[in-house]
């Protein structure tokens, strides 16, 4: 219990505070409060990782007057370190500096010794560090004729004495190297110790002579279309390099189920896809290591996430059971293995952790996104949607969380759309249509001006205008609806052909001419139907989860995934992709799965959190729900046939409901008439 005469110490930016007796080392105070301050050398003043800033001044809000007079003068360790290395003015080594009075201590994010320059960060999120791999510097007692204890045994005793790891096991490959490493380091070594999530003995996975002041890990999201990877320092948490590549499994099938079918029909299919994805991942590791200027042997930990089929193929598991009901996973819990066991050569002792899967088609990527956005930590009802070929949906709050998947197909990503393409230079990504003239203006990836601005035509000759990517497809369908070109039931209004040459007849249906020229870009009636089917499947899945929660509205929506990052929230609502919500509460949350992988890499507590959370998430199988078809049919309309969008209508004027909604695709005009029109909103 603290005494009234103890000194009040506040650590920023965490805001944690406590009272400590005179002469308490700042590092000890931080650890008692759960403030993470890195130290490899165990408080010997060698590694310099425990640097802190002492703040000067009166902090009235906190009731603290902080001063350099309230901390002990520079000691021998700090003087020696400052002479050999660089200790910035105002910086102190928290293992040497002692508390003499009230203090405000800042844990600087840039206090990283020997750290690489940050080339590219992921999402800028600062993650509290508590990695599964600890770097432990120890001084080992030299052999003695009178103490017949082996070198390894004395090493393990030193680690236990200095770092508290009892009953430490050791990777077999190290047994023959221990003596050589100890002598090379003159009986000082840095041990890399891997600590399991749920207790049990830790493992010595790597050993270095002398002081090893850095260790690295990778976090990787294996998407069905794209693989994204981040290389991070396990000690500082910094992202040194990020990179991505196309998933080479695309050549076996555009969507997930076509890849499962390929495995079913080709005996060597599983092995071929496993080899392909591992080769791509190894190529990415080489790329981020080169960019971060490190050796792959310095990577000691790796975290991977992916949807269930990517998860199984990466691990070398046959995914065919996921091809049909009951969609049984071979393994649903977290996976802990050595990287060498799955042909990912890193450090010989490197570990691989894969987050748990939620259900048969709601995978470790959805678990990672849940970890990132934390609906289970909130009072608000949050909807988290990863929009892809198979949409993964999580809905909940701190009381109850439910999840499902919905087969949207590849339409949102450009496949099955006549003018669709992947997001690449030349792809239209933003579109606006004049509601009077029906003339379009658009923005193209790789071209700075919009199509109606000076300089566009010149740039287009170089870059080209080759198609429309996912975000552009969402916008053009929504804009066509807002301009009255298509009805709420998704029919392109042929009567408008007399008003504009943009409306072009082909048989019994009509198309919209987006761009004329060498390469015509048209939006056909079939394209509109494909988007309707995809968005209706997604919305129906969301509605089922809302039914399970007993709610009619959500408080917050997160659009995850690479595609979700580029969707304009307004158009997502106009299309009826997601339910009505305040626009400022609908956010693109980026690659939430990749961020979740980084969180699990840098803090083992997050691994424990998501493993526990997944067991509490209720899984809903949409295929078995009797109301799915009803929700699906209603969701075919823009934004929806029965659900109101009052919050959207506050900011967007939706078209009047038409009295005549002639259907398309082979349905005779007039067959789809609805009785009695009404105005939405």
């Amino acid at each position: 219990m603290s005494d009234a005469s103890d000194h009040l110490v506040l650590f920023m930016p965490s805001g944690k505070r406590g009272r400590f007796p005179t002469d308490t080392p700042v590092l000890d105070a931080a650890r008692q409060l759960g403030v993470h301050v890195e130290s490899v050398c165990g408080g010997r003043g060698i590694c310099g990782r425990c640097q802190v800033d002492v703040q000067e001044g009166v902090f009235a809000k906190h009731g603290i007057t902080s001063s350099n007079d309230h901390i002990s003068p520079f000691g021998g360790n700090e003087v020696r370190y400052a002479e050999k290395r660089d200790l910035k003015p105002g910086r102190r080594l928290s293992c040497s500096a002692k508390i003499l009075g009230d203090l405000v201590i800042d844990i600087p994010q840039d206090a990283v010794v020997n750290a690489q320059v940050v080339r590219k960060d992921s999402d800028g999120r600062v993650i509290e560090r508590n990695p599964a791999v600890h770097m432990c510097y120890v001084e080992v007692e030299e052999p003695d004729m009178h103490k017949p204890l082996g070198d390894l045994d004395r090493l393990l005793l030193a680690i236990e004495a200095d770092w508290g790891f009892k009953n430490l096991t050791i990777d077999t490959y190290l047994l023959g190297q221990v003596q050589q490493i100890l002598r090379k380091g003159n009986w000082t070594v840095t041990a890399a110790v891997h600590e399991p999530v749920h207790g049990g003995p830790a493992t010595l996975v790597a050993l270095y002579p002398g002081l090893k002041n850095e260790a690295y890990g990778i976090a990787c999201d294996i998407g069905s279309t794209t693989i994204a990877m981040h290389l991070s320092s396990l000690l500082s948490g910094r992202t040194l390099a990020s990179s991505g590549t196309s998933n080479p499994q695309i050549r076996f099938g555009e969507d997930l189920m076509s890849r499962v079918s390929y495995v079913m029909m080709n005996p060597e299919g599983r092995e071929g896809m496993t080899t392909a994805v591992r080769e791509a991942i190894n190529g990415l590791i080489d790329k981020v290591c080169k960019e971060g200027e490190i050796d792959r042997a310095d990577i000691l930990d790796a975290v991977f996430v992916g949807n269930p089929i990517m998860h199984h193929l990466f691990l070398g598991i046959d995914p065919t059971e996921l091809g049909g009901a009951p969609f049984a996973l071979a393994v649903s819990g977290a996976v802990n293995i050595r990287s060498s066991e799955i042909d990912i050569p890193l450090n010989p002792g490197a570990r691989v952790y894969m987050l748990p899967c939620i259900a048969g088609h709601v995978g470790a990527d959805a678990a990672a996104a849940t970890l990132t956005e934390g609906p289970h930590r909130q009072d608000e009802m949050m909807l988290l949607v990863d929009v892809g070929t198979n949409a993964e949906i999580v809905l909940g709050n701190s009381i109850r969380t439910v999840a499902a998947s919905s087969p949207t197909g590849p339409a949102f990503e450009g496949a099955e759309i006549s003018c669709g393409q992947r997001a690449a230079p030349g792809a239209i990504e933003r579109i606006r249509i004049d509601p009077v003239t029906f003339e379009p203006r658009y923005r193209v990836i790789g071209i700075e001006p919009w199509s109606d601005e000076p300089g566009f035509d010149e740039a287009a000759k170089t870059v080209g205008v080759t198609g429309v990517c996912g975000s552009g497809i969402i916008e053009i369908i929504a804009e066509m609806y807002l301009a009255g070109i298509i009805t709420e039931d998704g029919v392109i209004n042929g009567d408008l052909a007399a008003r504009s040459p943009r409306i072009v007849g082909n048989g019994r249906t009509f198309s919209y001419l987006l761009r004329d020229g060498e390469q015509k870009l048209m939006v056909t009636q079939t394209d509109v139907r494909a988007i309707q089917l995809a968005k209706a499947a997604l919305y129906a899945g969301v509605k089922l989860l809302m039914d399970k929660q007993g709610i009619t509205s959500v408080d917050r929506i997160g659009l995850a995934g690479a595609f979700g990052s580029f969707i304009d929230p307004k158009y997502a609502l106009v299309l009826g992709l997601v339910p009505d919500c305040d626009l400022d509460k609908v956010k693109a949350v980026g690659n939430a799965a990749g961020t979740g992988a980084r969180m699990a890499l840098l803090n083992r507590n997050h691994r424990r959190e998501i493993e526990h959370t997944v067991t509490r998430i209720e899984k809903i199988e949409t295929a078995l729900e009797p109301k799915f078809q009803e929700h699906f049919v209603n969701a075919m309309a823009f934004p929806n046939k029965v659900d109101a969008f009052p919050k959207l209508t506050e900011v967007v004027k939706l078209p009047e409901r038409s009295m005549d909604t002639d259907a398309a695709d082979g349905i005779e005009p007039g067959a789809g008439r609805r009785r009695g029109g009404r105005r939405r909103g």
Side-chain angles (χ1 to χ4, degrees):
M1 185 177 293
S2 62
D3 189 275
S5 62
D6 290 348
H7 311 297
L8 182 58
V9 181
L10 170 70
F11 286 93
M12 299 299 288
S14 69
K16 293 179 179 178
R17 60 168 66 203
R19 290 191 172 273
F20 300 94
T22 300
D23 288 335
T24 302
V26 173
L27 181 60
D28 289 356
R31 285 177 173 168
Q32 287 180 45
L33 291 174
V35 176
H36 187 83
V37 179
E38 192 60 59
S39 175
V40 172
C41 68
R44 292 179 174 84
I46 300 172
C47 69
R49 285 203 162 271
C50 65
Q51 293 180 27
V52 296
D53 271 327
V54 178
Q55 302 298 304
E56 289 260 2
V58 177
F59 297 84
K61 178 182 174 183
H62 304 290
I64 297 175
T65 299
S66 179
S67 166
N68 276 302
D69 295 334
H70 295 176
I71 199 164
S72 61
F74 261 65
N77 284 346
E78 290 178 294
V79 171
R80 282 191 296 275
Y81 183 85
E83 288 173 352
K84 290 182 179 179
R85 309 266 185 97
D86 177 34
L87 197 59
K88 292 181 181 178
R91 289 275 166 89
R92 300 296 302 271
L93 298 184
S94 62
C95 64
S96 300
K98 295 179 179 178
I99 297 166
L100 302 181
D102 292 353
L103 288 167
V104 175
I105 302 287
D106 186 48
I107 311 297
Q109 296 302 313
D110 66 330
V112 184
V113 181
N114 295 342
Q116 308 295 321
V117 176
V118 178
R119 301 291 197 274
K120 187 195 296 179
D121 205 347
S122 35
D123 65 352
R125 181 182 295 239
V126 176
I127 300 167
E128 187 175 343
R129 301 183 310 284
N130 180 22
V133 174
H134 304 270
M135 301 299 282
C136 306
Y137 174 85
V138 290
E139 296 171 355
V140 181
E141 187 179 336
E142 295 187 36
D144 188 324
M145 290 281 286
H146 303 289
K147 296 179 183 177
L149 206 59
D151 287 351
L152 172 60
D153 302 272
R154 279 180 282 104
L155 168 63
L156 297 181
L157 283 174
I159 295 172
E160 181 179 344
D162 287 359
W163 296 91
F165 289 110
K166 296 181 179 180
N167 304 316
L168 201 64
T169 61
I170 181 170
D171 271 0
T172 307
Y173 87 95
L174 280 173
L175 291 173
Q177 302 179 22
V178 169
Q179 289 191 308
Q180 179 187 354
I181 294 170
L182 281 168
R183 284 158 180 79
K184 187 175 180 182
N186 195 25
W187 305 101
T188 66
V189 291
T190 303
V193 177
H194 180 270
E195 190 176 9
V197 173
H198 297 290
T203 305
L204 179 60
V205 297
L207 192 66
Y208 304 92
L211 176 67
K212 175 72 170 177
N213 214 13
E214 191 55 279
Y216 303 95
I218 52 172
C220 184
D221 174 19
I222 309 172
S224 53
T225 305
T226 305
I227 304 172
M229 181 178 290
H230 307 294
L231 171 69
S232 296
S233 161
L234 295 178
L235 301 186
S236 71
R238 289 187 173 193
T239 300
L240 278 69
S242 298
S243 191
T245 188
S246 296
N247 189 328
Q249 292 177 346
I250 286 175
R251 66 176 181 265
F252 300 101
E254 184 80 20
D255 58 47
L256 295 172
M257 296 317 293
S258 62
R259 293 179 206 177
V260 174
S261 299
Y262 185 87
V263 174
M264 290 175 173
M265 293 184 291
N266 297 275
E268 306 301 319
R270 196 280 305 155
E271 190 176 332
M273 278 196 269
T274 295
T275 299
V277 73
R278 288 178 181 175
E279 285 178 352
I281 285 167
N282 277 317
L284 272 184
I285 293 170
D286 286 335
K287 193 172 179 181
V288 294
C289 285
K290 183 178 180 182
E291 187 179 338
E293 297 175 5
I294 72 152
D295 193 291
R296 335 176 32 129
D298 284 332
I299 296 176
L300 294 170
D301 202 9
V303 173
F304 290 89
V305 300
N307 63 58
I309 291 170
M310 294 300 97
H311 172 282
H312 278 34
L313 287 171
F314 174 62
L315 291 174
I317 300 170
D318 189 328
T320 53
E321 290 297 329
L322 292 168
F327 311 108
L329 290 154
V331 54
S332 57
V335 175
N336 292 276
I337 51 177
R338 289 176 173 83
S339 67
S340 57
E341 294 176 305
I342 52 171
D343 302 323
I344 305 293
L346 305 170
N347 184 283
R351 294 316 200 248
V352 163
Y353 176 82
M354 290 200 77
L355 271 68
C357 292
I358 295 175
H361 282 293
V362 188
D365 52 350
T370 301
L371 179 62
T372 301
E373 294 306 313
H376 58 288
R377 304 184 206 109
Q378 301 178 20
D379 293 330
E380 289 185 308
M381 186 62 70
M382 180 180 187
L383 172 66
L384 182 60
V385 182
D386 192 335
V387 187
T389 54
N390 186 66
E392 294 171 314
I393 314 162
V394 178
L395 174 68
N397 56 16
S398 58
I399 298 171
R400 185 188 183 201
T401 307
V402 293
S405 66
S406 208
T408 52
F412 289 139
E413 296 176 345
E416 299 180 354
I417 304 296
S418 60
C419 60
Q421 70 161 82
R422 299 265 178 226
I428 294 174
E429 61 173 345
R430 294 275 177 261
I431 299 165
R432 302 291 181 267
I433 296 176
D434 188 299
V436 177
T437 65
F438 303 142
E439 287 299 303
R441 53 191 293 268
Y442 42 83
R443 180 98 179 258
V444 177
I445 297 175
I447 301 176
E448 189 62 30
W450 281 67
S451 60
D452 60 343
E453 293 176 347
F456 175 85
D457 292 336
E458 292 78 2
K461 289 174 184 175
T462 304
V463 177
V465 182
T466 51
V468 186
C469 68
S471 60
I473 290 165
I474 297 291
E475 292 196 6
I476 191 168
I477 302 296
E479 280 281 316
M480 287 171 69
Y481 167 60
L482 291 174
I485 296 170
I486 57 178
T487 67
E488 70 273 13
D489 285 338
V491 180
I492 298 178
N493 186 353
D495 293 342
L496 299 177
R499 278 180 52 189
S500 170
R502 293 278 175 186
I503 315 301
V504 180
N506 46 310
R508 287 179 297 173
T509 63
F510 290 82
S511 301
Y512 175 75
L513 177 61
L514 174 60
R515 179 177 169 86
D516 201 358
E518 199 171 305
Q519 188 170 351
K520 279 193 176 185
L521 300 180
M522 310 275 288
V523 178
T524 69
Q525 183 65 64
T526 304
D527 295 336
V528 178
R529 279 288 181 260
I531 292 298
Q532 282 181 281
L533 291 167
K535 75 101 174 179
L538 173 55
Y539 193 92
V542 173
K543 282 291 288 184
L544 285 177
L545 295 189
M546 292 173 70
D547 290 345
K548 292 294 178 184
Q549 292 278 24
I551 60 172
T552 56
S553 63
V554 298
D555 300 317
R556 185 179 296 276
I557 299 175
L559 301 170
F563 174 53
S565 300
F566 293 99
I567 299 176
D568 185 318
K570 179 180 80 172
Y571 290 110
L573 288 172
V574 169
L575 210 63
L577 201 64
V578 290
D580 191 46
C581 188
D582 283 331
L583 266 181
D584 60 356
K585 294 288 186 76
V586 185
K587 302 290 185 186
V589 295
N591 183 10
T595 300
R598 282 182 60 234
M599 290 171 69
L601 175 71
L602 296 174
N603 194 322
R604 58 193 289 274
N605 293 336
H606 288 311
R607 303 183 186 189
R608 189 181 296 114
E609 176 190 352
I610 195 58
E611 288 177 29
H612 173 68
T613 301
V614 162
T615 64
R616 294 175 55 236
I617 295 176
E618 298 171 47
K619 297 84 179 177
I620 309 301
E621 184 49 63
T622 54
L624 302 178
E625 294 292 327
K627 287 198 73 174
F628 181 85
Q629 190 64 27
E630 179 187 335
H631 288 319
F632 179 87
V633 170
N634 290 335
M636 284 289 286
F638 299 119
N640 192 280
K641 190 174 290 184
V642 296
D643 290 350
F645 280 69
K647 291 172 182 173
L648 174 64
T649 55
E650 290 174 8
V651 291
V652 178
K653 187 179 187 305
L654 296 180
E656 289 188 16
R657 287 235 173 236
S658 84
M659 296 284 290
D660 183 0
T661 55
D662 290 345
D665 291 339
I667 300 175
E668 292 297 330
R673 281 189 173 87
R674 298 175 60 217
R675 305 297 177 191
R678 66 185 176 89
R679 183 183 177 87
R680 168 75 67 193

